[in-house]
Amino acid sequence: MTDTAIDYEQEPREGEIKIHTTEDFDGMREAGRIAASCLDMLTEHVAPGVTTQSLDDLVRAFVFDHGAIPATVGYRGYRHSSCISLNHVICHGIPGPKVLKNGDIMNIDVTVIVDGWHGDTSRMYFAGETKVKAQRLVDTTYDALMAGIETVKPGSNLRDIGRAIQTLSEGQGFSVVRDFCGHGLGRVFHAPPNVVHYAEYKDRFGAIHRASNITLQQGMFFTIEPMINDGKPDVKLLKDGWTAVSRDKSLSAQFEHSIGVTETGYEIFTKSPKGLNKPPYA
């Protein structure tokens, strides 16, 4: 689940970011494996005619069957085991009676708790056949996620992540959502640092916003989860208080991984055990 971006001047001090031990990586690996396996399971169930609630029911059953807990149930009053965001929904789409139609694209976001550790990941899915434009948006979003991850190593900084994502996405004619961001995690769901997916941008009033230049250290855990729009980056929050949509109703895509900073680079905790990284899935 994404976090709400805050102004960089209000970010927590570097000393407030948890630095984890080698043993902590083991806990994150298991939580990440179960979360990623859950998304693998869903690939054969996403199809036209299926409701988003039925997909959430599958998530809930899978998580409990694997000795984990769905972290989103009860989180700030949220009642579902996943977020399912269709088409122009950017994030935090609420599962319900909505029936998938041929050509729908969607992000499914799952967070599990295993022995106190949080595995947080999301992936895009297609219901039936999709259009070339949607495929291109999804491919670019996945490539942007991986470009951001590739910058991670001790001594680099959070702005490097945002720069890689922004450069690749905007270079393909898409826009980066600025209102939501990645976040630290571990034994807590959302923690410092905030990981925005841009390096710098100028708002409509002419003010310049820059990503944090906090230096990465071995033992930091956080998510990277770019949300990329086919149109403008502007967001509208619906009356339910959760669902965020693109204001111009353009298509939106997102991928998310939980990662840890290692001695020489990074480890992806939520990598697909079956190699099902992006749609279409065989």
Side-chain angles (χ1 to χ4, degrees):
M1 181 176 282
T2 56
D3 205 357
T4 303
I6 59 174
D7 191 274
Y8 66 93
E9 293 179 349
Q10 299 174 338
E11 286 186 337
R13 295 185 299 276
E14 186 170 348
E16 296 178 352
I17 298 173
K18 172 75 173 177
I19 303 300
H20 296 86
T21 67
T22 301
E23 291 74 23
D24 294 341
F25 276 74
D26 292 333
M28 289 297 289
R29 288 184 188 112
E30 182 61 11
R33 183 189 66 81
I34 291 177
S37 296
C38 182
L39 294 186
D40 283 355
M41 174 273 297
L42 290 173
T43 58
E44 62 186 79
H45 296 282
V46 175
V50 171
T51 67
T52 55
Q53 182 59 58
S54 69
L55 295 175
D56 188 70
D57 292 341
L58 288 169
V59 170
R60 184 185 299 253
F62 183 95
V63 173
F64 282 123
D65 287 348
H66 286 76
I69 299 170
T72 52
V73 175
Y75 181 78
R76 297 181 180 176
Y78 196 77
R79 296 183 295 172
H80 300 272
S81 300
S82 65
C83 296
I84 304 180
S85 303
L86 271 66
N87 299 322
H88 72 290
V89 178
I90 293 171
C91 62
H92 301 161
I94 301 174
K98 174 75 174 179
V99 177
L100 301 183
K101 302 189 301 294
N102 185 56
D104 281 344
I105 70 170
M106 71 213 71
N107 175 271
I108 303 180
D109 189 340
V110 171
T111 308
V112 305
I113 305 173
V114 181
D115 295 329
W117 296 101
H118 290 72
D120 189 0
T121 186
S122 77
R123 208 177 295 171
M124 293 299 295
Y125 297 80
F126 298 152
E129 299 294 326
T130 192
K131 296 181 179 178
V132 172
K133 181 173 72 170
Q135 179 74 64
R136 183 168 164 268
L137 171 65
V138 169
D139 287 345
T140 298
T141 305
Y142 178 78
D143 291 344
L145 166 68
M146 298 311 296
I149 290 174
E150 286 292 333
T151 71
V152 173
K153 61 182 178 181
S156 65
N157 62 59
L158 292 176
R159 194 173 298 168
D160 295 331
I161 298 171
R163 182 179 296 107
I165 292 169
Q166 183 179 18
T167 299
L168 192 152
S169 302
E170 292 181 354
Q172 293 297 315
F174 301 118
S175 63
V176 179
V177 173
R178 303 155 184 165
D179 297 72
F180 299 95
C181 61
H183 52 89
L185 82 169
R187 287 195 174 276
V188 293
F189 196 168
H190 294 92
N194 286 283
V195 184
V196 299
H197 305 110
Y198 58 83
E200 179 180 306
Y201 75 93
K202 184 182 293 186
D203 67 24
R204 62 192 180 94
F205 301 107
I208 295 176
H209 300 260
R210 296 185 180 89
S212 167
N213 62 356
I214 289 175
T215 300
L216 302 184
Q217 300 178 47
Q218 181 179 353
M220 287 183 177
F221 295 163
F222 50 82
T223 69
I224 303 177
E225 44 186 304
M227 291 139 280
I228 309 300
N229 288 355
D230 182 43
K232 296 181 180 180
D234 305 303
V235 173
K236 178 182 178 181
L237 186 66
L238 300 188
K239 291 181 180 180
D240 60 31
W242 285 102
T243 308
V245 303
S246 56
R247 187 169 287 276
D248 60 8
K249 296 186 178 180
S250 60
L251 287 178
S252 187
Q254 180 190 20
F255 286 88
E256 174 185 13
H257 274 314
S258 297
I259 68 169
V261 183
T262 66
E263 183 179 3
T264 58
Y266 62 86
E267 179 177 345
I268 301 175
F269 298 125
T270 49
K271 200 169 183 178
S272 166
K274 295 184 177 179
L276 303 174
N277 298 310
K278 63 177 182 177
Y281 302 112

